[in-house]
C-alpha cells in the first residue's frame, strides 16, 4: 500500500530569485519520514491512512458543506466551499507572537483612524503626507467628527499574514472595513471535528466557538451612551452577495436580527427597524455594506442597499455603525506601508510583525527602481481587491509589462510594488496525492474597547494549483482548518472529549460565561418584517441585484503575494 506522503518531495513548486518556500510540516520535503514538532502528532495520524481513505474523508467534508449550504458562487454555480482535510498547526509560543502582533497593529490603526478623522497630528508631525490621505479613495470626510461611544472604530479586523522563506510571519495587508471569512473558520472546525475526530485525540486544540459571543459583547459595548440594553442588527446587502452565508450565520449565532436596508428607516435622528410588533429602535448596526452604499443621502444617491439618514443618526450619537465609516483609508495599500511608523508614533513600540518589503511608487527613486526591475516584482493597485489589476512581473508578457509601465508613470500614487515572496507550504490533498501547496492566514480580531480578542487560528487559505500563489477560491483556491495548540503545561491532566458530539461542542460552541444569544440551531430572525418596497421596474430591480453583487467583501476574492489581496 502506497504511503500517504509518497511523492511529496517530487513536487516542482515554482521558485523565483533562487528562494524555496518554507514547508510548515517538514524541514526537508524530500524526507517525509519525520515532521516538525508541531506537526508530529498529525504526521503520525495521517501516516496510518491511505490516500484513498483521506480522499474519502475530504469528499465527506465537501458533501457536508453542500448539505449545510456552506457554498460560494463560482461562475454562476453554487459550489461547496473548498476545505482540505489536512489542518494547519500552530504551536502556542508561535501563536502568542501572532496574537501580540495582530493586537498591536489593531491598536495602532485605531489610533491612526481617530487622529486622521480628528486633529490630524500625524500629518502635522510629518508621519504621513497630507496629500496621501487626501487622495485616498476611501478617506471619507463625511466620517469626520462622528462620535465613537467607547472609542472603537475597528470592531472587527482581519489582518492577512504570510510566512516567508525563513518561516517568519509578515503582515501582507490590513482589512478593517468589513473583513469576511470568519464563518468558514467556525464551519471548518465543526466539520473537521465530525469527519476527522481522531486527529484531535492527541492534541489540545484551542476552540473557535467563542467568536460570535465575543463579537456580540463588543457590539453591545459600543452602543450609544445611555443605552443599557442595546438592540443589535446585522445589515446585509442581500441574498445575491457572495458573503451572505456569513451574514446569516453570524446573525443566528449572536441571536440578533438580520436586516436589509429596506428593513430600516430613520426618524427624528434615530434608526428604527420594521417589525411585526411595530417599529423597534436600533442602537448598533454591524454592517456588511460598503461605505459608498450605506446612506444615499451621504454617498451614492441611487443606492438601494442602505437607508437614508444613517449617517446623520450616527453623527447625533444615536446609533453605532460597526465597523466605522471611513475605515477604508487604513486598507489603502500605500497607507499600509506607514503602519510600522504608526506603531512607533502612537504606541511608542517597535513592530512585532514586520510588513512585506514594499516600494512606494509615488517616491521618484522607488518608481525608477521598480520600472527598471518590472519583470522581477509584483505590482498592485492601492485600492484593488480580488487581484484586480495585479501584475506578477515574472509571469507577465512583454506587452503587459509595457502597458503597466505606462500606468505607473501616469499614476504612481495608485500603485505599490513588492518582491515576489514564496509563501510557506503545507501538505494538501490534490489530484496527484498529498503535495506542498502555498498558504496564507487571516486571523480575526474583535475590539470591545476593554481589550482585543484574537480568534485562535483564523482562516488559512491555500492555493491548490501547483506553484500558484493565488489563494482565492474563485481561482481554484481552498481553505484549511487552523489549529492553535494549547500551551503544553496547560493540558496536563485534561481529558479529551469521549465522543464526536462532545468534540464538536467543545471546539465550535461557545462557553463564555454569561454570553447572550441563542443555542446553535435556534433562529434569530423571528420578528423582523421586510416591507416589500424594493424597485418594481425591470431596470431598478437589475440595479438592486447589481449593487448586492458589488458588495463582495468576501474571502473568495483574495490573492496572495507577491500579492495577497482581499
Amino acid at each position: 500500500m502506497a504511503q500517504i506522503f509518497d511523492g511529496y518531495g517530487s513536487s516542482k513548486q515554482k521558485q523565483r530569485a533562487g528562494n524555496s518556500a518554507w514547508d510548515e510540516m517538514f524541514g526537508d520535503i524530500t524526507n517525509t519520514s519525520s515532521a516538525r514538532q508541531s506537526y508530529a502528532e498529525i504526521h503520525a495520524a495521517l501516516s496510518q491512512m491511505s490516500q484513498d481513505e483521506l480522499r474519502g474523508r475530504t469528499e465527506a467534508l465537501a458533501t457536508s458543506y453542500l448539505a449545510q449550504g456552506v457554498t460560494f458562487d463560482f461562475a454562476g454555480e453554487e459550489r461547496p466551499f473548498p476545505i482540505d482535510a489536512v489542518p494547519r498547526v500552530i504551536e502556542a509560543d508561535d501563536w502568542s507572537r501572532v496574537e501580540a502582533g495582530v493586537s498591536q497593529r489593531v491598536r495602532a490603526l485605531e489610533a491612526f483612524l481617530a487622529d486622521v478623522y480628528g486633529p490630524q497630528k500625524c500629518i502635522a508631525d510629518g508621519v504621513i503626507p497630507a496629500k496621501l490621505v487626501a487622495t485616498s479613495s476611501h478617506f471619507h470626510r463625511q466620517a469626520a467628527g462622528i462620535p465613537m461611544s467607547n472609542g472603537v472604530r475597528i470592531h472587527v479586523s482581519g489582518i492577512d499574514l504570510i510566512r516567508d522563506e525563513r518561516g517568519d510571519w509578515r503582515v501582507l495587508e490590513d482589512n478593517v472595513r468589513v473583513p469576511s471569512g470568519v464563518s468558514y473558520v467556525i464551519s471548518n472546525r465543526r466539520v473537521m471535528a465530525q469527519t476527522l475526530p481522531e486527529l484531535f485525540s492527541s492534541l489540545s486544540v484551542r476552540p473557535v466557538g467563542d467568536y460570535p459571543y465575543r463579537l456580540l459583547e463588543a457590539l453591545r459595548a459600543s452602543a450609544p451612551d445611555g443605552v443599557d440594553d442595546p438592540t443589535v442588527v446585522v445589515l446585509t446587502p442581500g441574498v445575491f452577495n457572495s458573503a451572505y452565508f456569513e451574514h446569516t450565520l453570524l446573525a443566528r449565532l449572536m441571536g440578533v436580527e438580520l436586516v436589509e436596508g429596506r428593513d430600516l428607516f430613520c426618524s427624528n435622528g434615530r434608526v428604527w427597524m420594521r417589525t411585526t410588533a411595530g417599529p423597534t429602535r436600533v442602537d448598533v448596526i454591524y454592517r456588511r455594506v460598503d461605505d459608498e452604499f450605506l446612506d444615499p443621502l451621504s454617498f451614492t444617491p441611487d443606492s438601494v442597499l442602505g437607508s437614508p439618514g444613517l449617517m446623520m443618526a450616527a453623527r447625533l450619537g444615536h446609533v453605532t455603525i460597526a465597523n466605522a465609516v471611513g475605515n477604508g483609508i487604513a486598507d489603502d495599500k500605500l497607507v499600509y506601508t506607514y503602519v510600522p511608523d504608526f506603531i512607533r508614533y502612537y504606541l511608542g513600540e517597535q513592530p512585532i510583525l514586520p510588513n512585506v518589503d514594499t516600494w512606494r511608487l509615488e517616491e521618484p527613486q522607488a518608481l525608477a527602481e521598480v520600472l527598471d526591475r518590472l519583470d522581477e516584482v509584483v505590482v498592485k493597485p492601492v485600492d484593488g481587491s480580488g487581484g484586480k489589476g495585479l501584475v506578477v512581473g515574472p509571469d507577465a508578457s512583454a506587452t503587459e509589462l509595457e502597458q503597466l509601465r505606462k500606468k505607473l508613470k501616469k499614476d504612481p500614487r495608485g500603485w505599490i510594488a513588492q518582491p515576489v515572496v514564496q509563501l510557506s507550504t503545507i501538505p494538501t490533498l490534490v489530484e496527484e496525492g498529498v503535495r506542498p501547496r502555498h498558504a496564507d492566514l487571516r486571523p480575526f480580531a474583535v475590539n470591545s474597547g476593554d481589550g482585543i480578542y484574537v480568534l485562535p487560528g483564523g482562516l488559512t487559505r491555500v492555493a491548490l494549483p501547483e506553484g500558484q500563489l493565488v489563494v482565492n477560491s474563485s481561482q481554484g483556491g481552498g481553505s484549511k482548518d487552523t489549529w492553535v495548540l494549547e500551551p503544553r503545561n496547560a493540558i496536563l491532566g485534561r481529558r479529551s472529549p469521549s465522543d464526536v458530539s462532545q468534540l464538536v461542542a467543545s471546539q465550535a460552541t461557545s462557553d463564555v460565561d454569561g454570553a447572550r444569544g441563542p443555542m446553535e440551531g435556534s433562529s434569530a430572525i423571528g420578528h423582523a418584517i421586510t416591507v416589500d418596497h424594493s424597485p418594481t421596474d425591470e431596470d431598478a430591480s437589475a440595479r438592486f441585484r447589481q449593487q448586492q453583487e458589488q458588495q463582495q467583501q468576501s474571502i473568495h476574492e483574495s490573492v496572495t503575494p507577491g500579492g495577497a489581496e482581499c
Side-chain angles (χ1 to χ4, degrees):
M1 181 179 67
Q3 298 298 310
I4 197 167
F5 293 108
D6 284 355
Y8 188 82
S10 64
S11 181
K12 304 296 184 183
Q13 292 286 349
K14 188 183 295 184
Q15 295 186 23
R16 298 184 175 95
N19 295 324
S20 59
W22 192 81
D23 192 84
E24 298 196 15
M25 181 177 283
F26 302 108
D28 177 3
I29 63 172
T30 63
N31 178 15
T32 59
S33 59
S34 61
R36 300 183 192 274
Q37 181 178 351
S38 57
Y39 278 90
E41 303 289 348
I42 296 294
H43 177 263
L46 291 174
S47 296
Q48 302 302 311
M49 297 183 188
S50 66
Q51 287 194 4
D52 288 342
E53 182 180 359
L54 183 61
R55 199 173 298 278
R57 302 287 188 96
T58 301
E59 291 171 356
L61 293 174
T63 301
S64 176
Y65 264 9
L66 195 59
Q68 295 176 52
V70 186
T71 60
F72 75 103
D73 182 81
F74 182 81
E77 176 187 350
E78 285 295 313
R79 296 186 180 182
F81 186 70
I83 175 175
D84 185 67
V86 182
R88 178 185 226 162
V89 181
I90 303 176
E91 287 272 17
D93 290 345
D94 199 11
W95 178 253
S96 65
R97 179 176 177 82
V98 169
E99 188 174 39
V102 168
S103 177
Q104 180 191 60
R105 202 161 179 104
V106 172
R107 287 186 290 120
L109 289 172
E110 283 278 14
F112 166 67
L113 288 169
D115 188 15
V116 80
Y117 286 109
Q120 298 190 342
K121 293 180 180 179
C122 58
I123 294 174
D125 291 344
V127 179
I128 188 170
K131 184 179 179 181
L132 189 158
V133 172
T135 56
S136 174
S137 61
H138 296 295
F139 176 66
H140 295 310
R141 291 171 176 80
Q142 300 93 321
I146 292 180
M148 301 293 145
S149 63
N150 65 342
V152 175
R153 298 186 62 93
I154 307 172
H155 304 82
V156 180
S157 56
I159 308 299
D160 290 349
L161 308 178
I162 62 165
R163 298 190 94 147
D164 62 18
E165 296 88 347
R166 297 180 300 177
D168 295 331
W169 292 105
R170 289 181 176 269
V171 178
L172 185 61
E173 65 178 46
D174 304 293
N175 298 279
V176 298
R177 278 178 290 178
V178 273
S180 279
V182 73
S183 60
Y184 299 110
V185 177
I186 298 169
S187 300
N188 283 357
R189 180 60 53 83
R190 176 169 290 276
V191 296
M192 282 289 288
Q194 292 170 337
T195 309
L196 288 149
E198 65 269 37
L199 296 187
F200 289 84
S201 61
S202 57
L203 293 172
S204 184
V205 181
R206 292 181 60 182
V208 298
D210 288 350
Y211 181 87
Y213 300 114
R214 297 277 191 169
L215 175 58
L216 179 60
E217 291 306 305
L219 294 173
R220 289 174 57 83
S222 71
D225 294 337
V227 178
D228 297 325
D229 188 17
T231 297
V232 179
V233 300
V234 176
L235 176 61
T236 176
V239 297
F240 298 114
N241 179 254
S242 63
Y244 185 70
F245 164 76
E246 177 158 306
H247 308 164
T248 60
L249 181 72
L250 290 177
R252 178 166 61 86
L253 294 181
M254 288 192 294
V256 304
E257 299 294 347
L258 179 69
V259 300
E260 296 182 24
R262 54 187 173 174
D263 301 321
L264 305 176
F265 69 95
C266 298
S267 178
N268 296 324
R270 299 185 184 276
V271 181
W272 303 85
M273 171 174 56
R274 296 180 173 90
T275 77
T276 53
T280 296
R281 190 189 69 211
V282 174
D283 304 301
V284 181
I285 301 174
Y286 178 41
R287 53 80 176 234
R288 302 301 294 263
V289 174
D290 284 345
D291 292 350
E292 292 78 7
F293 294 89
L294 194 59
D295 183 345
L297 297 181
S298 298
F299 298 105
T300 305
D302 66 346
S303 171
V304 292
L305 301 183
S307 183
L310 288 184
M311 291 295 290
M312 178 58 70
R315 186 170 300 281
L316 293 173
H318 294 160
V319 72
T320 298
I321 299 174
N323 284 353
V325 174
N327 281 12
I329 187 174
D331 290 0
D332 186 309
K333 292 176 179 60
L334 186 54
V335 174
Y336 153 89
T337 67
Y338 288 86
V339 176
D341 297 326
F342 296 162
I343 292 172
R344 287 184 279 264
Y345 176 70
Y346 292 112
L347 307 181
E349 302 170 3
Q350 291 301 314
I352 296 172
L353 299 174
N355 281 7
V356 172
D357 295 338
T358 306
W359 286 276
R360 301 168 180 165
L361 300 189
E362 64 170 2
E363 298 175 357
Q365 228 176 352
L367 177 62
E369 181 180 356
V370 168
L371 290 175
D372 189 52
R373 302 174 52 191
L374 209 51
D375 60 344
E376 303 174 11
V377 300
V378 174
V379 181
K380 307 177 186 179
V382 297
D383 59 354
S385 64
K388 297 181 180 71
L390 178 145
V391 178
V392 180
D395 297 338
S397 67
T399 300
E400 289 171 330
L401 291 177
E402 186 55 34
Q403 292 174 344
L404 178 62
R405 188 182 304 275
K406 292 178 181 178
K407 292 179 181 178
L408 299 187
K409 289 180 177 179
K410 183 179 180 180
D411 179 27
R413 162 62 177 90
W415 302 83
I416 60 166
Q418 294 175 333
V420 177
V421 180
Q422 288 287 340
L423 283 65
S424 62
T425 56
I426 308 172
T428 303
L429 183 64
V430 294
E431 186 176 349
E432 299 82 6
V434 177
R435 297 291 186 268
R437 290 296 184 262
H438 296 292
D440 76 347
L441 176 66
R442 173 175 289 186
F444 293 89
V446 175
N447 188 359
S448 66
D450 293 326
I452 297 172
Y453 165 75
V454 182
L455 177 67
L459 183 67
T460 289
R461 299 171 293 189
V462 58
L464 300 180
E466 185 172 7
Q468 179 64 270
L469 296 173
V470 178
V471 300
N472 56 309
S473 54
S474 63
Q475 297 192 39
S479 71
K480 287 178 174 287
D481 193 11
T482 308
W483 293 6
V484 174
L485 304 184
E486 296 272 14
R488 297 187 180 277
N489 59 2
I491 63 177
L492 296 177
R494 182 176 299 175
R495 297 181 61 185
S496 299
S498 58
D499 58 36
V500 173
S501 61
Q502 289 183 2
L503 177 62
V504 172
S506 68
Q507 285 294 320
T509 304
S510 175
D511 61 357
V512 174
D513 292 336
R516 299 171 59 93
M519 294 295 290
E520 176 131 3
S522 65
S523 174
I525 310 173
H527 73 279
I529 178 171
T530 297
V531 177
D532 188 11
H533 53 72
S534 58
T536 54
D537 65 274
E538 188 172 333
D539 289 343
S541 295
R543 184 173 74 250
F544 183 63
R545 176 166 182 161
Q546 181 186 41
Q547 288 183 3
Q548 287 191 25
E549 291 173 340
Q550 284 176 339
Q551 302 293 288
Q552 290 302 310
Q553 304 158 357
S554 164
I555 49 95
H556 311 315
E557 294 196 340
S558 303
V559 183
T560 14
E565 301 186 13
C566 225

